[in-house]
Amino acid sequence: MTDARMGPTTSVPPGTSVPPGTPTAAGTAWHGAASRLRAERLRVGYGQSDDILHDVDVAVPEGELTVIVGPNACGKSTLLKALARMLAARQGQVLLDGQPIGTLAPKAVARRLGLLPQGPTAPDGITVSDLVARGRYPHQNLLRQWSARDEQAVVEALLAANVADLADRNVDELSGGQRQRVWIAMALAQETQLLLLDEPTTYLDIAHQVEVLSLTRRLHRSGRTVVLVLHELHLAFRYATHLIVMREGRIVAEGRPEEIVTADLIERVYDLPCRVVPDPVTGRPLVLPLDQDAAWVAGRP
């Protein structure tokens, strides 16, 4: 199969890893070379269990809003945790700024990479400003205590996340969407250019999902490299500038949503017959699942 724009392409069935830069029948993988964060032949698992990730090669493209999608238990969050050094590699390595991430001191990693894990919890009674101030921990040591720069960084983070008016409120008094923005503000206070968020819209209603994702888009447009794990395909395709599609611990396809998302890709990855049409608002791909009742799909009584 040949794409006139990209040259020869390769059909990639689910369960096949795609190195960055490899064109596929589903679309075009990312061709850029700039990446501060990458994984090479990465194998990761939990405890004594089988591997969750299988020889994954991936490079996070600089200056993009990357969204990782795939079915439940396909390894999305595991990949994010491995990239953030929360999980050690059984084989292969993660490189941050060209260095194996496991050789770097924890504070050195935290000064370069901010992570918002899934379902973070705040101490009882802590205020928004105090929680956000904890993002300055990587910049503290015995010789450098709280400074005017730390105070400024917290104020800037509160403003960027649009939670400055909540600074004196207790975190446990806030709505789900407000809490997520506060956690993002804490990550921003670290002053990193790399920001990883694991399912930041989980348990939020659609209005709060859009609120949080709009914030991540503003952060991306301000110059940060942002990586999200999301379940909601319509939101992933709307906000992503770069998409990574996973199945069974491997990367099946990656590239811009409008270039790689097809009905064939969605059916192969999710086992879901569907149609893919342009979103009437953005023009991005919109997945319309097809009911298994063929008569209903055809519109017959």
Side-chain angles (χ1 to χ4, degrees), residues 37-73:
L37 184 63
R38 66 173 61 237
E40 298 176 347
R41 308 300 294 174
L42 191 64
R43 290 177 54 195
V44 175
Y46 297 88
Q48 301 300 315
S49 66
D50 293 338
D51 291 342
I52 304 297
L53 302 181
H54 307 280
D55 298 321
V56 169
D57 292 294
V58 67
V60 174
E62 280 296 286
E64 301 287 351
L65 198 167
T66 296
V67 179
I68 306 172
V69 299
N72 290 340

Side-chain angles (χ1 to χ4, degrees), residues 136-183:
R136 299 303 296 167
Y137 170 75
H139 302 274
Q140 308 294 313
N141 56 48
L142 290 176
L143 300 178
R144 184 189 184 283
Q145 299 301 310
W146 192 261
S147 68
R149 176 58 211 147
D150 295 318
E151 193 69 37
Q152 181 182 358
V154 170
V155 170
E156 290 173 354
L158 291 167
L159 290 170
N162 196 26
V163 291
D165 59 327
L166 305 175
D168 296 326
R169 297 270 303 276
N170 285 343
V171 174
D172 52 18
E173 297 174 356
L174 305 180
S175 70
Q178 289 172 327
R179 281 196 299 270
Q180 285 297 75
R181 286 190 284 125
V182 169
W183 283 108

